[in-house]
Amino acid sequence: MQRDMDLIRKILFAIEEKYVDTWLPGSDVQIDGYDMKTIAYHCALLHDAGLIYDYKAQYAGDGLYFFGVGRLTWEGHELLDKIKSDTVWNKTKETIKSKGIPLVLDAVKEISSAIVTSMVKAAIQGI
């Protein structure tokens, strides 16, 4: 299965919005246009990357039966705050594509940080 950075972003949004206590069941992380197996896979990737605190899955037979996630980590919140704006997200993806850079997490972090920094500098100059 290929990694989908747009789905990663949508999952981060869902966890930020719906996480309340100690656990968020996969049924609360449903994303239109994606099946449970794809969402669960991407949640596992988010956990591997240190962006969410916990990920657990249960299997029945030969398929995924249930999954759940923990809260966003500090790093997860930091990344989401950088890419929350559609303007920043789209510019990040456009920059990555136009420069021929792979759409990997480190590139998203670096480029979105540079875009946000540029926006902050422009805002400061306008004061």
Side-chain angles (χ1 to χ4, degrees), residues 1-13 31-35 37-46 51 79 83 89 93 96 102-105 108:
M1 181 177 302
Q2 291 189 354
R3 183 175 51 189
D4 180 335
M5 294 304 282
D6 287 310
L7 177 56
I8 294 283
R9 180 176 179 250
K10 290 174 183 179
I11 292 170
L12 291 172
F13 274 121
I31 310 291
D32 288 341
Y34 296 92
D35 63 17
K37 183 178 177 180
T38 302
I39 294 168
Y41 177 80
H42 284 77
C43 286
L45 291 175
L46 285 165
L51 299 175
L79 175 62
I83 62 173
W89 178 242
K93 292 192 312 179
I96 287 171
L103 187 59
V104 296
L105 186 58
V108 170

Side-chain angles (χ1 to χ4, degrees), residues 12 19 114 121:
L12 291 172
Y19 180 85
K121 287 179 182 179

Side-chain angles (χ1 to χ4, degrees), residues 62-126:
D62 62 349
L64 179 67
Y65 175 72
F66 171 86
F67 77 94
V69 297
R71 63 175 172 76
L72 296 179
T73 62
W74 182 270
E75 186 70 24
H77 278 287
E78 289 290 303
L79 175 62
L80 182 56
D81 286 345
K82 289 176 190 169
I83 62 173
K84 192 173 278 187
S85 158
D86 288 340
T87 302
V88 172
W89 178 242
N90 290 330
K91 187 165 184 154
T92 298
K93 292 192 312 179
E94 287 170 18
T95 301
I96 287 171
K97 184 177 180 180
S98 70
K99 302 296 181 186
I101 300 168
L103 187 59
V104 296
L105 186 58
D106 286 342
V108 170
K109 287 179 184 179
E110 291 292 324
I111 292 170
S112 63
S113 291
I115 291 167
V116 170
T117 299
S118 173
M119 293 169 72
V120 169
K121 287 179 182 179
I124 291 170
Q125 290 175 353

Side-chain angles (χ1 to χ4, degrees), residues 10-30 43 51-55 68-74 77 80:
K10 290 174 183 179
I11 292 170
L12 291 172
F13 274 121
I15 294 170
E16 179 190 51
E17 176 187 336
K18 297 175 183 173
Y19 180 85
V20 176
D21 195 10
T22 60
W23 189 251
L24 187 64
S27 59
D28 287 345
V29 190
Q30 295 307 305
C43 286
L51 299 175
I52 60 175
Y53 182 71
D54 202 3
Y55 170 80
V69 297
R71 63 175 172 76
L72 296 179
T73 62
W74 182 270
H77 278 287
L80 182 56

